[in-house]
Amino acid sequence: MTGLGNLWRQSARESFEAPGFQGDLAVDLVIIGAGFTGLSAALAAAGQGATVAVLEANTVGHGGSGRNVGLVNAGLWLPPDDVCRALGEAAGEHLNTVLGGAPDVVFDLVTRHAIDCEPRRAGTLHLAHAPKGEAQLKARLAQMQARGAPVQYLAADEVAKRTASAAFGGALFDARAGTIQPLAYARGLARAAAEQGARIYEQSPVTGAARHGGQWVVTSRSGKIRARRLLVATNAYHQPLAHMSMPSVPVVQYFQLATKPLAANLGGDILAGGEGAWDTGLIMTSIRRDEAGRVIIGGMGSEAATHTNWAERKLARLFPRLAGFEIEHAWSGKIAMTQDHLPRILRLGREGLAIFGYSGRGIGPGTVFGRAAALALLSDDESGLPVPGVDMYAERFCTLKALFYETGARLVHLGAARS
């Protein structure tokens, strides 16, 4: 392995740089976190004529937005019936509808703002890793088709043609979805928001946030921002703030490895249609190609030798011709995974919201949740939020839950490496 780190940082054609924040500033909306959620919110609010400031502790897309797989999915991990059971029929169907249309929102923004992020709307394949996975997919298929979603079940022979692998028993194909270069998309959102007048600041970690005199006062190491409205959009990368506590949510690691670009005669038939893919395993595996022809494989777990060895062996099992082929990039990120795999919008007193818990589905949900939160805050009307806001949220044993996923990943990957 050459160890070149995060592929998305090396290949992003969108660039964005912003100064650090200094001084004293008053705006309509202050946003903490420059990922998909915060940047989508900034773009929407600035487009409404509001004054907006975004404070990012590192650089735009530093967190999960610049480390994820790049699948623009429609919906959540949960099947739509499960969403309705968790939220109630009306709220559940509203969320299903909003997220079913999330790829439309993402690809519309990409087109409207000419974001150079390798967009490809060729659908996704949810792959059955075992017979029980086939049953799960067929149940999900019925639920999605009952709601009019353009999905279809593909038999094993068709899946083998599309993936160039005989490892899967079947797949659910969703024509609404697609792939992007995620960091380039985040940077493009930042550029578009700045063009609309939003002020974005990098290397500006927030140290505290509290209400004083009917407004939010957000402090950093070098200044202070006053705003009537606040959005916290830090998700799995939240840092402690003075005068504000956020609920603990289990944080799961997800790693990815990318091959060198493959010549057409070696890899041209692997996901030749451009679909992104992931499987039904509890310890999930994702597979996709990028525009340069790399095969990118990912799985739950930290970026440790155990997982790297597994990924190399997994790649060879899926595509025997790639056995021993050099891995060029390896990187990892963090996922905030709520107990029921549903995102949450937490009210922070008056005129403040925090969004978290995408459970690995950050691109579509982050984009639509961020936009909806900005419009709700500006209008003082929560009726357009994808999920109802809550006044409190708590989970127990978050560290143990995170350890469960990491241990499970290690055991699965060690077992696969020895088989």
Side-chain angles (χ1 to χ4, degrees), residues 136-341:
Q136 293 169 6
L137 292 181
K138 289 176 180 177
R140 186 186 290 259
L141 172 74
Q143 295 175 32
M144 296 172 77
Q145 287 183 332
R147 292 167 171 85
V151 294
Q152 62 183 117
Y153 190 81
L154 305 179
D157 57 347
E158 177 63 19
V159 175
K161 290 178 186 177
R162 296 196 184 204
T163 62
S165 175
F168 305 106
L172 189 64
F173 174 70
D174 191 334
R176 298 170 295 180
T179 60
I180 58 173
Q181 210 277 23
L183 179 58
Y185 175 61
R187 290 176 176 175
L189 288 177
R191 170 179 56 77
E195 289 170 353
Q196 294 286 334
R199 304 183 187 189
I200 300 175
Y201 301 97
E202 296 181 313
Q203 304 297 340
S204 301
V206 172
T207 56
R211 285 189 67 83
H212 293 292
Q215 63 183 345
W216 287 98
V217 179
V218 174
T219 55
S220 73
R221 292 179 299 200
S222 302
K224 185 180 298 183
I225 296 179
R226 295 174 175 83
R228 197 184 116 201
R229 306 161 182 92
L230 166 70
L231 175 62
V232 179
T234 47
N235 201 25
Y237 288 79
H238 186 74
Q239 299 179 6
L241 302 179
H243 313 299
M244 177 182 287
S245 60
M246 294 286 289
S248 295
V249 178
V251 173
V252 177
Q253 297 284 337
Y254 198 89
F255 71 94
Q256 296 182 80
L257 298 96
T259 68
K260 286 187 173 183
L262 303 183
N265 63 336
L266 182 61
D269 58 343
I270 298 174
L271 293 169
E275 306 96 337
W278 76 102
D279 70 14
T280 53
L282 178 62
I283 305 301
M284 187 189 79
T285 301
S286 60
I287 314 162
R288 62 161 297 189
R289 304 288 297 275
D290 72 349
E291 195 172 270
R294 299 175 180 90
V295 174
I296 304 164
I297 185 168
M300 288 184 180
S302 60
E303 194 179 344
T306 295
H307 304 303
T308 301
N309 291 337
W310 163 84
E312 291 172 338
R313 294 171 186 267
K314 178 80 170 184
L315 198 62
R317 280 196 293 272
L318 293 176
F319 312 108
R321 77 193 84 161
L322 299 185
F325 198 81
E326 186 173 6
I327 299 295
E328 188 176 53
H329 295 270
W331 69 102
S332 64
K334 295 189 289 187
I335 296 170
M337 186 173 290
T338 57
Q339 183 172 3
D340 57 11
H341 303 307

Side-chain angles (χ1 to χ4, degrees), residues 19-83:
F21 176 70
Q22 292 184 334
D24 200 324
L25 181 65
V27 295
D28 296 319
L29 172 65
V30 60
I31 299 168
I32 304 174
F36 302 135
T37 303
L39 295 169
S40 175
L43 177 57
Q48 294 283 309
T51 54
V52 183
V54 182
L55 294 175
E56 165 57 46
N58 291 282
T59 57
V60 163
H62 169 82
S65 298
R67 301 168 188 268
N68 71 33
V69 180
L71 302 184
V72 186
N73 287 299
L76 297 169
W77 272 11
L78 287 183
D81 283 3
D82 289 3
V83 173

